[in-house]
């Protein structure tokens, strides 16, 4: 039993390699020049999201940096590079192919599980582009030990837990005592149990001249951080738990681990530290990344990079042998404790508070996952009522407004929607009065900035003058000029071309926008900075991010002079850097923070800093800005304000959030992050921060009554945010197939899997909506589902079957229409099933079922083209097994095993449910808590195998989806007799059984009710026992 469990875990661990190399292949195609080497191990490349691409690029860069430095050491000396848990990583071939001169006298050794290494060596031997690089390659028939060898390459199949075998295999092949040795382990030994991983490190330390490079995850601020929880849960779902992360959660723990194992010096830093250190990563290298693809996921990137580290340990004493840019001591994984710095005196005026600030938190979860949006803006609707406009929701950008209000208010405005303002994110909304504000700029995609501006006055949005240039990630504040004019001051931001702006703009109701000339350069232009007014016509500017993605450590004071007689306005900006302590700058110079002023405090909330993640006690800072009455000198004091979170008040993820205040009560709402490839975390609630707690609490509540149904996220979400039931979904397993027999084994297991890496033909490259329209023909009539709401319900028939021209349908779907095409047979659709090749001959050559799915092809019943707009398919089951081949766009899929059918409200004789499991009220459907859901997000090129009778539903992820669905007979007999065009008639035995039940029940007619129930209940139990008995061995 234990061996079986170990074998399954080994398979799961090897499965992590498949996802990793697909992502690295995506990076290679975009960011690396030829020759490419991941291509030989990834049959079907997929373009990953910009966040995944940049994260993997940084991981790859860290390892390359260490390897290059090692190879450059002591030219002419024999060197050995051992890659532990190498997977399909082509590290030897990258160096031999791109820099052969540096590889003289170097032997590369790949070590991983025997089964994986055998497959890797097979790929190498069949591709001369790889085999020729390592010299004459000798392939062994052994499945364990040395599987392949050449002059410069050695492939060893070995369990990393079997050190004796590994040591023996190495010593037979090389004289390791005469070599310089570099051992790399990139996210590999973390999957091994702690004792075995520690033993492996101690074994490595016994070599005479050895360096060890380790890249893996850690917990810079603990395992309760939302990102950490999401990451840990993700790997548990994959059955590949991070076994070392809790024993060695911090960088200092890892450093002591290696020192204790026998290494003499250890250097470690987070990938975020690496990103921010110009000695390790040049400005030019980072700017080159921006030329490849537009990027604006900075908070998500910082989260990822702050939870991964690179460590280099050496058997030799000496600081920083591998040029990681720091000493051998542990770097900061989060910024240190800040002592409040005070510079108060009787000759100073203060904005903020001189007294210590105390924050008491309260929390209310928003109903039905409403309020999910990030990078929206908060604005005052009226006293004690806040609107949260725009931002990015689970599916797409919003143009709606959520309402939050103090619970003491009996009435509040209900109609605050803003459909006249296009959906956007990363914009600003600046309060001009208690109910008026100016909304400015924002973006759709990162390369589509907006310039339009809207004034909310009297409850309505009115278009006003556009910004002089389109901007997003700019900062804005209200200020009152010396002549009494109301004004909004804007600084920085990004344009559509990705250019970071160093411009100041002033808006006044009567004059529109005016560009202010700043005679003193601020240095690097910034976006995502924080700006606040500290008095009439003056204020401060903090932090922000430079063009290369590093956070700026700078603090400026700005002031505006107005000459009333000429209506002239001038701007003066002065640096405060020399006057501010370094600890304060480290704490308050942030990117993506919010700032709010209550009656008691000026609070800086959330965001990211250059030194690492903020700890729970550093998320919120109380600022005091001092101005000397005598000298006019400005100084800033800052006090980190700890907040006491607990099981009733969870810690929010303060990225993309919004903040607002009223009197002595601040509210935090919205926000969240894409936690790399691990899932999406949403702040599903509103936090009240009672400032200097008084007897009367001013608590904020979510008040939107007509909020649209929440949409599901395209990534795998945190369990708290996945479903409206208590059931926690598991991740659908992913695997690769090599033969048709592999799929037959999957079929026999009758469990859904995601299959990647197979060749579906040129459709993945060619198919877009416009391409389909050109090939199918705009005028061809098709029957589509035209839905009234996002959730289609087959039982209620809340949609219509409409015949439309294919071109018209495609155009409407592209614009977000709630329509769905499930193709029918081109001829006699009522009498024969759909056949994609026959029904769409113009597209037939683009798609093919891979040879590994021979069983599907041989037993195919129908092949269906599916094109989906923004609609969710009803939950249902199919009697036939099927494969869903995703071609374009992504779909989130939820599946339930057949044993859950009694909990999902499917009427007798029906195959569909009326429950929207993506957004159902758990109280209304308590049976959902007893289900066992599985979930996945299906990407282009991936194939989902759906076994017969598994209930499933699919939700859109924002863009239209194109897929081919192939149904096939996996039973020899038993299907319903007669015509079955859709392949969804229940089995013949079930149809007959329902008729028999009707006759059986009728036979009890005429008996007293209690006797009738008595005997029918007994028959029910007997039938249940018979059903369970037939399933026993």
């Amino acid at each position: 039993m234990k061996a079986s469990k170990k074998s399954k875990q080994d398979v799961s661990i090897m499965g992590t390699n498949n996802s990793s190399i697909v992502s690295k292949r995506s990076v290679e195609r975009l960011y690396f020049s030829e020759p490419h080497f991941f291509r030989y191990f990834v049959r079907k490349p997929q373009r990953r999201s910009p966040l995944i691409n940049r994260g993997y690029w940084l991981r790859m860069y860290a390892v390359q940096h260490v390897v290059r430095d090692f190879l450059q050491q002591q030219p002419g000396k024999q060197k050995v590079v051992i890659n532990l848990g190498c997977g399909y990583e082509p590290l030897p071939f990258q160096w031999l192919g791109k820099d052969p001169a540096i590889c003289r006298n170097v032997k590369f050794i790949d070590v991983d599980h025997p089964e994986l290494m055998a497959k890797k060596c097979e790929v190498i031997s069949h591709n001369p582009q790889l085999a020729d690089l390592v010299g004459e390659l000798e392939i062994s028939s052994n499945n364990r030990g040395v599987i392949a060898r050449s002059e410069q390459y050695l492939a060893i199949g070995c369990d990393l837990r079997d050190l004796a075998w590994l040591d023996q295999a190495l010593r037979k092949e090389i004289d390791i005592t005469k070599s310089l040795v570099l051992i790399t382990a990139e996210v590999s030994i973390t999957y091994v149990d702690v004792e075995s991983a520690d033993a492996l490190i101690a074994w490595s330390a016994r070599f005479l001249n050895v360096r060890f490079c380790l890249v893996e995850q850690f917990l810079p601020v603990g395992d309760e951080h939302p990102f950490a929880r999401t990451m840990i849960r993700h790997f548990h779902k994959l059955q590949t738990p991070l076994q070392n992360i809790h024993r060695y959660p911090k960088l200092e723990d890892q450093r002591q681990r290696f020192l204790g194992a026998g290494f003499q010096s250890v250097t470690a830093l987070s990938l975020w530290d690496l990103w921010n250190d110009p000695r390790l990563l040049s400005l030019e290298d980072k700017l080159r990344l921006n030329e490849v693809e537009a990027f604006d996921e900075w908070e998500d990137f910082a989260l990822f990079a702050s939870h991964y580290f690179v460590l280099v340990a050496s058997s030799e004493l000496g600081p920083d042998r591998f040029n990681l840019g720091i000493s051998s001591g542990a770097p900061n994984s989060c910024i240190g404790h800040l002592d409040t710095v005070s510079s108060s005196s009787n000759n100073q005026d203060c904005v903020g508070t001189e007294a210590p600030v105390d924050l008491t938190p309260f929390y209310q979860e928003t109903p039905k996952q409403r309020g999910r949006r990030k990078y929206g803006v908060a604005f005052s609707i009226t006293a004690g009522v806040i609107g949260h406009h725009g931002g990015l929701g689970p599916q797409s950008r919003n143009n709606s407004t959520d309402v939050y209000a103090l619970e003491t208010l009996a009435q509040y405005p209900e109609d605050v929607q803003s459909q006249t303002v296009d959906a956007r994110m990363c914009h600003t909304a600046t309060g001009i009065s208690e109910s008026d504000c100016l909304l400015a700029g924002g973006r759709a995609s990162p390369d589509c900035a907006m310039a339009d501006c809207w004034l909310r006055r009297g409850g309505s949005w009115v278009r006003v003058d556009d910004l002089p240039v389109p901007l997003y990630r700019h900062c804005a504040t209200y200020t009152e000029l010396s002549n009494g004019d109301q004004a909004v001051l804007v600084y920085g931001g990004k344009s559509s071309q990705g250019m970071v702006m160093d411009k100041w703009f002033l808006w006044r109701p009567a004059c529109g926008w005016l560009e202010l000339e700043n005679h003193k350069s601020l240095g690097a232009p910034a976006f995502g900075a924080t700006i606040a007014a500290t008095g009439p016509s003056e204020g401060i500017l903090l932090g922000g991010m430079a063009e290369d993605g590093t956070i700026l450590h700078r603090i400026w004071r700005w002031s505006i002079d107005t000459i009333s007689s000429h209506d002239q306005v001038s701007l003066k900006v002065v640096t405060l850097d020399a006057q501010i302590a370094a600890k304060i700058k480290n704490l308050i110079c942030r990117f993506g923070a919010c700032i709010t002023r209550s009656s008691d405090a000026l609070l800086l909330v959330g965001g990211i800093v250059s030194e690492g993640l903020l700890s729970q006690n550093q998320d919120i800072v109380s600022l005091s800005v001092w101005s000397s009455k005598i000298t006019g000198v400005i100084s800033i004091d800052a006090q980190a304000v700890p907040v006491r979170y607990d099981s009733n008040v969870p810690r929010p993820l303060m990225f993309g959030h919004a903040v607002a205040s009223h009197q002595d009560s601040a509210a935090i709402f919205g926000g969240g992050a894409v936690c790399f490839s691990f899932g999406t975390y949403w702040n599903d609630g509103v936090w009240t921060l009672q400032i200097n707690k008084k007897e009367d609490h001013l608590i904020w509540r979510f008040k939107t009554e007509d909020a649209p149904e929440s949409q599901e996220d395209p990534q795998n979400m945190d369990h708290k945010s996945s479903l409206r039931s208590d059931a926690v979904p598991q991740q659908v397993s992913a695997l690769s197939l090599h033969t048709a027999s592999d799929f037959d084994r999957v079929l026999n297991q009758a469990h859904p899997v995601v299959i990647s890496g197979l060749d579906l033909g040129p459709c993945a490259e060619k198919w877009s909506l416009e391409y389909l329209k050109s090939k199918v023909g705009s005028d061809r009539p098709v029957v589509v589902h035209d839905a009234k709401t996002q959730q289609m319900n087959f039982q209620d028939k809340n949609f219509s079957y409409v015949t439309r021209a294919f071109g018209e349908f495609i155009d409407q779907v592209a614009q977000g229409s709630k329509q769905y095409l499930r193709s029918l047979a081109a001829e006699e659709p009522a009498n024969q099933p759909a056949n994609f090749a026959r029904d769409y001959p113009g597209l037939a050559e683009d798609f093919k079922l891979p040879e590994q799915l021979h069983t599907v092809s041989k037993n195919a019943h129908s092949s269906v083209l599916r094109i989906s707009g923004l609609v969710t398919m009803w939950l249902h089951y199919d009697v036939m097994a099927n494969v869903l081949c995703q071609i374009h766009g992504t779909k989130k899929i939820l599946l339930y095993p057949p044993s859950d059918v009694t909990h999902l409200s499917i009427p007798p004789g029906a195959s569909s449910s009326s429950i929207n499991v993506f957004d159902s009220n758990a109280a209304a459907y308590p049976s959902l808590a007893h289900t066992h859901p599985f979930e996945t997000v299906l990407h282009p090129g991936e194939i989902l195998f759906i076994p017969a009778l598994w209930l499933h539903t699919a939700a859109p992820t924002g863009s239209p989806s194109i897929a081919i669905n192939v149904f096939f007979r996996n039973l020899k007999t038993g299907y319903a007799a007669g015509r079955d065009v859709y392949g969804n008639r229940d089995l013949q035995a079930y149809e007959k059984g329902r008729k028999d039940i009707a006759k059986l029940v009728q036979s009890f007619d005429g008996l007293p009710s209690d006797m009738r129930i008595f005997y029918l209940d007994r028959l029910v139990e007997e039938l249940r026992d018979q059903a369970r008995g037939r399933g026993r061995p």
Side-chain angles (χ1 to χ4, degrees):
M1 188 70 179
K2 289 184 179 178
S4 175
K5 182 178 180 181
K6 175 181 175 295
S7 177
K8 288 181 179 178
Q9 186 178 26
D10 288 344
V11 171
S12 298
I13 292 171
M14 287 188 286
T16 64
N17 166 68
N18 296 329
S19 175
S20 176
I21 63 163
V22 171
S23 297
K24 289 184 175 182
R25 172 60 176 146
S26 176
V27 173
E28 181 182 57
R29 295 178 73 206
L30 288 172
Y31 293 100
F32 289 85
S33 60
E34 294 279 2
H36 289 171
F37 297 99
F38 281 100
R39 61 159 40 108
Y40 302 108
F41 302 96
V42 180
R43 294 185 180 181
K44 194 64 178 178
Q46 301 174 24
R47 180 162 179 166
R48 297 300 203 200
S49 70
L51 171 63
I52 303 298
N53 285 334
R54 188 156 297 206
Y56 269 98
W57 182 92
L58 189 57
R59 262 178 59 173
M60 295 162 72
Y61 178 88
V63 175
Q64 288 176 358
H65 180 87
V66 174
V67 174
R68 177 173 294 280
D69 189 77
F70 171 76
L71 295 178
Q72 290 173 340
Q73 299 285 325
Q74 300 184 38
K77 180 76 172 179
Q78 178 67 42
K79 300 185 184 73
V80 176
V81 178
I82 304 173
N83 193 354
L84 298 177
C86 61
Y88 293 137
E89 184 82 27
L91 183 147
F93 311 100
Q94 290 172 319
W95 289 101
L96 291 166
K98 293 192 174 186
D99 202 345
I102 205 175
C103 298
R104 295 193 184 101
N105 301 314
V106 178
K107 189 149 197 167
F108 294 92
I109 303 176
D110 281 346
V111 183
D112 211 323
H113 194 279
E115 181 182 341
L116 187 149
M117 289 305 301
K119 293 177 180 177
K120 183 172 187 177
C121 290
E122 184 180 356
V123 173
I124 295 170
S125 64
H126 284 84
N127 287 278
Q129 300 90 335
L130 299 177
D132 291 350
L133 290 172
V134 296
E136 187 175 346
L137 190 65
E138 175 189 340
I139 302 293
S140 170
S141 59
N142 296 332
N143 290 327
R144 187 182 184 201
V146 176
I147 298 176
R149 63 168 59 85
S150 74
E151 183 180 354
Q152 287 197 276
Y153 181 67
L154 197 63
I156 298 178
C158 178
D159 190 322
L160 296 181
R161 292 162 288 200
D162 192 345
L163 284 180
W165 186 277
L166 176 60
D167 187 77
Q168 181 183 14
L170 280 174
R171 294 186 186 278
K172 279 185 177 180
E173 297 293 328
I174 57 173
D175 186 354
I176 211 159
T177 62
K178 297 181 180 179
S179 303
L180 297 179
V181 180
L182 172 64
I183 298 174
T184 64
E186 183 186 355
V187 194
S188 58
I189 67 172
T190 188
Y191 301 126
V192 178
D193 63 274
V194 177
E195 290 73 20
S196 298
D198 286 348
L200 183 62
I201 293 169
W203 167 79
S204 304
R206 294 202 300 266
F207 297 144
L208 290 178
N209 297 292
V210 63
R211 284 79 173 167
F212 197 118
C213 173
L214 178 67
V215 176
E216 61 184 44
Q217 305 89 343
F218 76 118
L219 303 173
V221 289
D223 58 5
E224 286 304 309
H225 189 279
F227 182 97
R229 294 208 314 269
T230 305
M231 176 177 69
I232 292 169
R233 187 176 298 114
H234 167 79
F235 285 103
H236 272 284
K237 286 180 181 179
L238 295 181
Q239 299 179 348
T240 56
L242 305 177
Q243 302 205 45
N244 291 253
I245 200 169
H246 295 289
R247 179 76 63 87
Y248 305 105
K250 302 294 178 65
L251 292 188
E252 180 61 19
D253 298 324
Q254 289 285 359
R255 181 171 174 269
Q256 293 300 327
R257 177 192 197 184
F258 277 80
L259 290 173
F263 285 95
Q264 296 300 305
S265 62
V266 183
T267 301
L269 74 165
S270 75
L271 294 189
W272 183 241
D273 291 328
L274 187 156
W275 175 264
N276 283 283
D277 193 330
R279 295 170 295 176
L280 303 175
L281 189 53
S282 70
L283 170 68
E284 292 74 19
D285 283 337
K286 291 194 284 188
L287 292 182
R288 257 193 300 271
L289 300 180
N290 296 336
E291 297 173 2
V292 176
E293 58 183 344
F295 186 79
D296 192 37
E297 290 81 12
W298 289 107
E299 293 90 343
D300 303 337
F301 177 64
L303 274 174
F304 157 78
S306 296
H307 281 85
Y308 277 73
F309 69 88
V310 55
L311 174 149
V312 176
S314 175
S315 60
E316 301 176 5
L317 287 171
D320 197 15
R321 274 300 305 268
F322 276 72
N323 298 323
L324 284 180
I326 57 174
S327 69
S328 59
N332 291 331
S333 57
C334 64
I335 63 178
H337 173 72
L338 174 79
D339 296 322
T340 302
V341 180
S342 176
S343 57
S344 61
S345 78
N346 293 330
N347 291 320
Q348 294 176 326
D349 292 328
C350 173
V351 174
T353 178
E354 183 176 357
V357 172
D358 177 73
L359 297 177
T360 303
F362 301 87
Y363 173 74
Q364 183 210 30
E365 187 171 347
T366 49
K368 297 183 179 180
Q369 301 174 355
R370 292 175 176 176
R372 283 187 173 182
R373 61 180 77 206
K374 52 185 179 177
Y375 307 111
V377 291
F379 64 93
S380 175
I381 296 173
T382 187
V385 183
I386 298 296
H388 189 201
H389 173 268
L392 180 66
Q395 291 295 338
S396 58
R397 293 172 293 276
N398 296 315
N399 67 347
S400 60
T401 300
D402 287 330
V403 177
Y404 297 84
L406 295 171
E407 64 179 5
T408 54
L409 295 180
Q411 294 182 335
Y412 55 89
E414 294 184 4
D415 185 14
V416 295
Q417 299 305 310
S418 47
Q419 281 79 9
T420 54
V421 181
D422 290 340
R424 66 193 65 212
M425 58 189 288
C426 302
H427 49 312
T428 57
T430 308
I432 298 173
S433 67
E434 199 169 67
S435 59
D436 298 344
C437 74
L438 178 73
L439 185 152
R443 72 167 175 84
S445 61
D447 54 2
C448 184
M450 297 177 169
D452 56 320
C453 299
W454 300 78
L455 180 64
R456 188 174 191 276
R457 177 159 288 171
S460 299
W461 294 95
V462 179
R463 180 86 176 257
V464 293
D465 295 327
D466 287 359
L467 282 162
V469 293
L471 289 176
Y472 67 93
R473 294 272 198 180
H474 51 290
C475 55
T477 186
Y478 171 79
T479 188
E480 186 174 311
L481 304 184
S482 58
N483 63 3
D485 283 357
Q486 295 178 320
V488 173
L489 180 66
V490 165
Y491 169 73
K494 271 192 165 186
S495 69
S496 291
Q497 293 74 34
M499 182 182 297
V500 182
M501 308 300 291
D502 192 21
K503 294 181 179 294
W504 296 79
F505 299 110
L506 188 74
W507 180 86
R508 289 172 290 173
C511 307
W513 290 102
L514 172 69
E515 182 176 350
L516 301 181
E517 185 175 354
N518 176 31
H519 296 286
K520 185 176 181 65
S521 172
L522 271 65
F527 62 102
T530 306
I531 193 171
T534 58
S537 302
E538 65 180 18
I540 54 173
L541 177 71
L542 310 174
M545 183 172 280
E547 185 181 16
D548 67 341
T550 54
I551 295 174
L552 298 166
H553 277 208
R554 66 182 190 190
I555 303 171
W556 297 85
R557 181 205 179 199
W558 55 266
S559 59
I560 299 173
D561 293 328
T562 307
I563 303 175
S564 301
S565 58
H566 298 89
D567 197 30
Q568 293 179 348
V569 180
S570 63
L571 173 72
K572 183 179 181 182
V573 182
V574 179
T575 179
L576 302 180
D577 287 352
Q579 302 156 234
I580 308 300
K583 281 188 176 181
I584 292 183
K585 284 198 285 189
N586 290 345
L587 187 66
I588 68 176
C589 291
R590 305 184 177 191
F591 171 79
C594 296
I595 196 164
T596 187
R597 180 183 289 105
S598 73
S599 56
D600 283 354
L602 182 63
L603 298 178
L604 182 68
V605 182
I608 57 176
V609 294
S610 62
E611 284 71 23
L613 291 181
L614 293 162
S615 72
Q616 177 175 305
N617 292 335
Q618 298 162 330
D619 273 338
I620 301 175
V621 171
S622 174
L623 295 176
S624 301
V625 183
W626 303 91
S627 175
S628 171
K629 295 178 180 177
I630 298 173
T631 65
V633 172
I634 300 290
S635 61
I636 298 176
D637 297 343
Q639 174 192 7
V641 187
V643 179
R644 296 173 294 278
Y645 301 111
D646 55 33
S647 57
N648 295 318
V649 184
R651 179 187 180 185
L653 185 56
M654 295 191 197
F655 292 164
H657 58 298
V659 178
S661 297
H662 179 72
Q663 297 179 8
D664 59 357
S665 179
I668 301 173
F669 39 83
V674 175
C675 301
F676 203 56
S677 58
F678 313 135
T680 298
Y681 186 93
W682 294 98
N683 289 331
D684 278 334
V686 54
W687 284 258
T688 297
L689 300 177
Q690 194 72 44
I691 303 169
N692 297 332
K693 183 179 178 182
K694 299 180 176 60
E695 192 170 321
D696 296 328
H697 298 161
L698 295 175
I699 308 300
W700 294 89
R701 294 285 185 258
F702 181 84
K703 294 292 185 179
T704 304
E705 300 297 335
D706 57 348
E709 292 184 358
S710 66
Q711 300 167 316
E712 287 303 300
D713 194 270
Q715 302 285 340
N716 304 320
M717 294 179 295
D718 180 274
H719 84 283
K720 178 182 175 184
S721 307
S722 290
L723 296 172
R724 295 305 304 166
S725 77
D726 295 331
V728 179
Q730 300 180 56
Q731 188 70 17
V732 175
S733 298
L735 53 76
S736 297
L737 300 180
H738 298 284
T739 66
S741 298
D742 291 343
F743 179 75
D744 290 341
R745 284 191 289 272
V746 169
L747 182 60
N748 292 334
Q749 291 170 358
H751 204 279
V753 296
V754 174
I755 304 165
S756 59
L758 299 186
D759 184 9
L760 295 174
C763 55
E765 301 286 343
K766 292 183 176 181
W767 283 15
S768 65
L769 295 180
E770 287 300 317
Y771 178 83
L772 293 191
K773 189 164 63 171
S774 68
K775 288 291 186 178
V776 174
S778 295
D779 297 332
R780 174 172 169 171
V782 289
V783 178
V784 301
H785 300 68
D786 190 354
K788 299 180 177 64
T789 64
Q790 180 179 311
Q791 172 66 28
M792 292 196 296
N793 188 318
F794 187 79
Q795 292 185 17
D796 294 343
K797 290 294 192 299
N798 62 344
F799 58 88
S800 304
Y801 293 108
V802 178
T803 300
R804 284 207 169 92
F806 186 77
E808 179 186 1
F809 161 71
I810 290 294
D811 292 341
Q812 292 177 0
V813 164
Q815 295 168 9
S817 176
K818 300 180 180 66
Q819 296 185 60
Y820 185 86
L821 169 66
R822 191 266 189 211
S823 69
L824 305 174
E827 298 180 4
E828 299 186 70
N831 296 316
Q832 58 181 344
N835 181 310
F836 171 73
R838 181 188 63 207
D839 301 332
Y840 293 90
L843 297 172
E845 293 184 358
D846 292 346
F847 173 81
K848 67 175 182 179
L849 276 177
E851 59 184 14
Q852 291 87 342
L853 301 185
H854 175 71
T855 298
V856 178
S857 303
K858 182 176 67 174
N859 300 288
H861 166 270
S862 57
S863 48
V864 178
L865 172 65
R866 297 186 183 273
I867 304 176
S868 175
L870 290 180
V871 289
T872 299
M873 174 60 70
W874 55 83
L875 180 68
H876 67 285
Y877 67 81
D878 296 304
V879 178
M880 293 185 187
N882 62 94
V883 290
L884 181 62
C885 306
Q886 190 69 21
I887 311 299
H888 176 85
T890 58
K891 277 274 192 184
K892 175 155 187 179
I893 315 287
L894 276 176
L895 304 100
Y896 295 81
S899 57
D900 284 349
V901 68
T902 56
H903 304 301
L904 293 170
S905 299
I906 297 183
S911 59
S912 62
S913 169
S914 60
I915 301 176
N916 178 5
V917 291
F918 285 110
D919 189 26
S920 289
N921 187 327
Y925 297 99
S927 64
L928 285 178
H930 304 292
T931 60
H932 307 83
F934 289 76
E935 67 177 358
T936 190
V937 174
L938 204 60
H939 296 90
E942 294 181 335
I943 302 170
L944 175 64
F945 166 62
I946 305 176
L949 305 183
W950 273 72
L951 296 102
H952 53 280
T953 178
T957 60
S959 60
S961 164
I962 305 172
I964 299 290
N965 200 182
V966 183
F967 295 84
F968 62 100
R969 298 176 179 86
N970 59 309
L971 297 177
K972 293 182 179 179
T973 60
Y975 290 110
R979 188 175 56 195
D980 187 8
V981 172
Y982 295 97
N984 61 357
R985 281 184 58 184
D986 281 304
L987 294 180
Q988 185 174 2
Y990 177 73
E991 291 186 349
K992 180 178 182 299
R994 292 195 65 234
K995 295 176 181 178
D996 292 341
I997 287 175
K999 293 177 182 178
L1000 187 150
V1001 173
Q1002 190 176 9
S1003 68
F1004 284 89
D1005 287 352
L1007 292 176
S1009 176
D1010 57 343
M1011 295 182 69
R1012 182 171 179 267
I1013 293 172
F1014 174 83
Y1015 282 112
L1016 285 174
D1017 281 346
R1018 290 202 63 192
L1019 286 171
V1020 167
E1021 289 301 317
E1022 187 175 347
L1023 184 61
R1024 183 176 289 111
D1025 289 341
Q1026 289 285 332
R1028 300 297 182 266
R1030 289 185 187 279
R1032 297 191 187 105

